[in-house]
């Protein structure tokens, strides 16, 4: 028996409706914000992520699925969604169209991580990327898009944490202040953070090690070191969020795990699903397009983990869509009725009504039991009497009500009873 690889999951037929529900919801919310879907390849040249995501990040240092293909090219399975979208934006000259370019994606993401609840080696993200606008309004739009999804799904228990990590120029001042603060405390920090100290001290604020977390508790805050432009941007974002009634908290410890962020960063965090509480994270990344070879282009976006979202909805006891059940199960009582069952199913399906019938040679009693298990809305029974009268008996499985209906009136009957009365 060959097992599924560690850190991956099957979505089984009786559960996939949850995914459809979430995918339909996020697609519709993207639509009302004017974002169109972009699909990029599952793998890219490794170079893209080295340049885009940054070589001081956990993703690039430890988590990438990188291999050589048969043509000796270094290839990497997407460890996040944004770099590929930025590449597509540049390569297809999307910047030539009137801006902004508003895109979304639903994609598998691959990271070699230690698997645990809410942390997989293949997970899926819904992501949004708005390119071409440096306005704080775009940040607000993107954050409010994520919030609209949570509202539609009925999630109230998430807190929005935002921060600003400034731009290239003011981050230098901040990095110096942070290093001054940390220098004497280096001995108490993990080895990764010791390395980060010189290369990218900001990353230390994102460390999950308890020792490092304790040390950074009193570190200086990025918001106190912002240049005038970054400060004004941050204030406008906060003002915009307030004006549409969104609650948030400015959390100076949010810096995000990827190198490409500038100015706004944010996370939607739940306390209900354990350590892996960040369901959605994003921010502005004005330097990314340039870093991967395009003209400087302002951009803002987020990634939302679908598995974590499902865990969250389940933990809150929320309904995640409707499982499949047929409109009609057709149960012939005798041999002669089987052909009628086949023809009827065909006719119903042509009219968009879902219909199933016995293909397991079950007894009539077993067919009724099976229809019950399938949670069929109606069962159509065809026995000797029905055959003679050219009718069928149709039973509403919820109410138990049963009627005799002409075969040629069946579609209309089901449409009225099933759909117009619901
Ligand atoms: P974390 O801090 O939990 O490692 P991250 O900062 O690496 O998260 P992002 O790169 O921002 O996460 O990814 C966006 C979202 O994707 C996360 O907020 C989370 O919901 C989800 N996600 C990230 N990594 C995983 C994973 N290994 N398994 C499942 N979901 C994940
Ligand atoms: Mg991570």
């Amino acid at each position: 028996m060959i097992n599924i690889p560690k850190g991956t999951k099957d979505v089984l037929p009786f559960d996939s409706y949850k995914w459809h529900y979430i995918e339909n919801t996020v697609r519709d919310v993207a639509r009302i914000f004017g974002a169109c879907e972009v699909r990029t390849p599952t793998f890219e040249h490794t170079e893209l992520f080295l340049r885009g995501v940054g070589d001081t990040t956990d993703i690039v240092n430890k988590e990438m699925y990188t291999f050589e293909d048969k043509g000796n090219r270094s290839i990497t399975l997407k460890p996040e969604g944004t770099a590929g979208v930025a590449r597509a934006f540049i390569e297809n000259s999307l910047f030539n169209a009137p801006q902004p370019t508003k895109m979304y994606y639903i994609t598998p993401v691959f990271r070699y991580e230690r698997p645990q609840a809410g942390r997989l080696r293949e997970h899926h993200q819904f992501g949004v990327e708005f390119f071409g606008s440096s306005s704080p309004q775009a940040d607000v739009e993107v954050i409010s898009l994520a919030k609209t999804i949570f509202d539609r799904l009925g999630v109230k228990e998430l807190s929005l944490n935002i921060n600003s990590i400034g731009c290239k120029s003011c981050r230098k001042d901040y990095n110096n202040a942070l290093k001054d603060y940390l220098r004497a405390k280096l001995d108490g920090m993990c080895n990764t953070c010791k390395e980060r100290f010189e290369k990218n001290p900001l990353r230390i604020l994102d460390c999950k090690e308890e020792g490092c977390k304790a040390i950074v508790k009193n570190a200086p805050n990025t918001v106190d070191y912002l240049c005038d432009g970054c400060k004004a941007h941050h204030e406008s974002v906060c003002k915009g969020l307030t004006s549409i009634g969104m609650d948030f908290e400015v959390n100076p410890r949010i810096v995000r795990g990827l190198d490409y962020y500038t100015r706004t960063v944010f996370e939607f965090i739940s306390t209900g699903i354990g350590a892996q509480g960040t369901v959605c994270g994003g921010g502005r990344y004005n330097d990314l397009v340039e870093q991967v070879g395009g003209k400087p282009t302002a951009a803002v976006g987020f990634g939302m983990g679908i598995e974590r979202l499902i865990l969250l909805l389940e933990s809150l006891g929320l309904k995640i869509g409707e499982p499949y059940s047929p409109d009609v199960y057709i149960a012939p009582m005798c041999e002669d009725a089987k052909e009628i069952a086949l023809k009827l199913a065909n006719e119903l399906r042509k009219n968009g009504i879902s219909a199933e019938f016995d293909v397991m040679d079950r007894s009539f009693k077993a067919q009724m039991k099976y229809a019950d298990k399938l949670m069929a809305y109606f069962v159509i029974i065809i026995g000797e009497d029905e055959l003679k009268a050219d009718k069928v008996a149709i039973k509403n499985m919820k109410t138990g009500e049963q009627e005799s209906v002409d075969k040629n009136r069946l579609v209309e009957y089901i449409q009225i009873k099933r759909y117009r009365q619901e």
Side-chain angles (χ1 to χ4, degrees):
M1 156 81 204
I2 300 168
N3 296 318
I4 195 169
K6 206 173 155 182
T8 64
K9 278 213 162 101
D10 295 314
V11 175
L12 295 168
F14 52 77
D15 253 353
S16 50
Y17 72 92
K18 295 178 185 167
W19 285 75
H20 298 158
Y21 169 69
I22 290 186
E23 286 164 9
N24 292 340
T25 305
V26 300
R27 283 181 196 283
D28 194 56
V29 172
R31 180 186 66 82
I32 62 172
F33 278 81
C36 294
E37 187 178 13
V38 59
R39 298 189 187 192
T40 65
T42 305
F43 56 85
E44 298 270 0
H45 293 295
T46 303
E47 178 73 17
L48 176 70
F49 303 115
L50 296 183
R51 283 215 264 160
V53 179
D55 59 6
T56 59
T57 60
D58 281 355
I59 291 184
V60 168
N61 277 330
K62 304 189 275 199
E63 299 173 357
M64 293 209 301
Y65 277 88
T66 297
F67 59 96
E68 274 205 353
D69 72 4
K70 292 192 167 60
N72 302 322
R73 297 171 200 91
S74 180
I75 294 292
T76 295
L77 303 182
K78 263 187 211 181
E80 54 88 65
T82 304
V85 174
R87 188 221 16 88
F89 176 80
I90 301 165
E91 196 165 353
N92 299 287
S93 310
L94 300 186
F95 47 81
N96 280 336
Q99 297 298 303
T101 303
K102 305 201 263 188
M103 298 176 270
Y104 78 88
Y105 57 79
I106 297 173
T107 184
V109 168
F110 305 88
R111 297 182 186 178
Y112 196 79
E113 303 215 62
R114 199 165 61 78
Q116 50 198 293
R119 195 172 288 286
L120 298 159
R121 291 187 174 169
E122 179 184 27
H123 74 276
H124 296 77
Q125 285 188 17
F126 164 68
V128 164
E129 320 282 3
F130 282 18
F131 282 79
S133 169
S134 55
S135 163
Q137 301 288 359
D139 307 38
V140 174
E141 275 225 291
V142 160
I143 296 171
S144 117
L145 196 164
K147 175 71 164 57
T148 306
I149 291 172
F150 297 129
D151 286 348
R152 281 238 189 139
L153 297 172
V155 184
K156 296 191 188 77
E157 294 75 359
L158 279 178
S159 60
L160 168 60
N161 286 226
I162 80 163
N163 191 20
S164 173
I165 58 168
C167 60
K168 265 187 228 150
S169 78
C170 56
R171 194 156 336 133
K172 266 189 210 132
D173 295 340
Y174 176 74
N175 279 346
N176 287 335
L178 180 61
K179 281 164 84 176
D180 287 346
Y181 169 83
L182 292 171
R183 196 161 285 117
K185 305 176 175 67
L186 267 180
D187 281 347
M189 291 187 324
C190 73
N191 287 336
T192 320
C193 282
K194 283 180 189 146
E195 273 174 43
R196 287 169 174 151
F197 182 79
E198 282 308 333
K199 284 207 236 159
N200 194 348
L202 192 65
R203 270 298 73 73
I204 295 174
L205 300 187
D206 200 39
C207 186
K208 307 263 175 355
E209 297 285 330
E210 289 307 323
C212 302
K213 270 197 197 161
I215 290 175
V216 300
K217 222 172 172 183
N218 297 313
N221 297 335
T222 49
V223 278
D224 297 326
Y225 288 79
L226 300 178
C227 62
D228 289 348
C230 288
K231 193 161 185 259
H233 187 95
H234 179 60
E235 281 166 3
S236 296
V237 173
C238 294
K239 212 171 136 215
L241 292 172
T242 307
S243 76
I244 53 169
M246 277 186 70
D247 290 333
F248 64 92
E249 186 191 320
V250 176
N251 177 348
R253 290 298 159 264
I254 301 280
V255 294
R256 313 285 304 124
L258 293 83
D259 271 0
Y260 49 58
Y261 287 104
T262 51
R263 295 192 162 173
T264 312
V265 287
F266 66 90
E267 294 187 358
F268 282 88
I269 303 173
S270 141
T271 44
I273 51 171
Q276 271 62 56
T278 305
V279 182
C280 171
R284 182 164 275 289
Y285 41 92
N286 290 346
D287 297 337
L288 173 67
V289 173
E290 197 179 3
Q291 264 172 43
V292 298
K295 284 185 269 188
T297 306
V300 54
F302 67 75
M304 189 183 283
I306 300 181
E307 285 85 353
R308 270 189 214 179
L309 184 57
I310 292 178
L311 281 178
L312 173 67
L313 296 175
E314 281 171 346
S315 79
L316 295 172
L318 291 168
K319 200 164 159 223
I320 317 178
E322 288 283 346
Y324 165 77
S325 63
D327 297 325
V328 176
Y329 190 84
I330 307 169
M333 292 179 86
C334 56
E335 209 48 41
D336 291 348
K338 281 192 177 170
E339 197 187 319
I340 309 278
L342 173 65
K343 282 189 185 155
L344 268 184
N346 200 38
E347 182 63 21
L348 295 176
R349 288 169 184 163
K350 269 191 203 156
N351 287 279
I353 295 165
S354 60
E356 295 190 49
F357 57 87
D358 180 49
V359 289
M360 302 304 292
D361 278 330
R362 289 187 167 95
S363 69
F364 177 71
K365 203 172 148 211
Q367 289 182 58
M368 291 306 284
K369 216 170 140 193
Y370 181 63
D372 210 35
K373 191 172 148 39
L374 282 180
M375 297 203 295
Y377 194 89
F378 291 114
V379 173
I380 288 177
I381 300 161
I382 319 168
E384 301 284 358
D385 293 348
E386 283 79 20
L387 279 179
K388 268 189 220 135
D390 209 21
K391 289 187 175 226
V392 298
I394 180 162
K395 181 177 178 185
N396 181 318
M397 296 297 275
K398 263 192 211 127
T399 62
E401 181 195 359
Q402 185 166 323
E403 287 186 73
S404 176
V405 176
D406 271 4
K407 267 198 306 198
N408 56 12
R409 273 203 51 237
L410 194 57
V411 168
E412 195 194 347
Y413 178 90
I414 291 168
Q415 280 168 343
I416 291 171
K417 295 272 181 178
R418 169 83 172 99
Y419 297 111
R420 292 187 208 153
Q421 289 195 347
E422 250 186 2

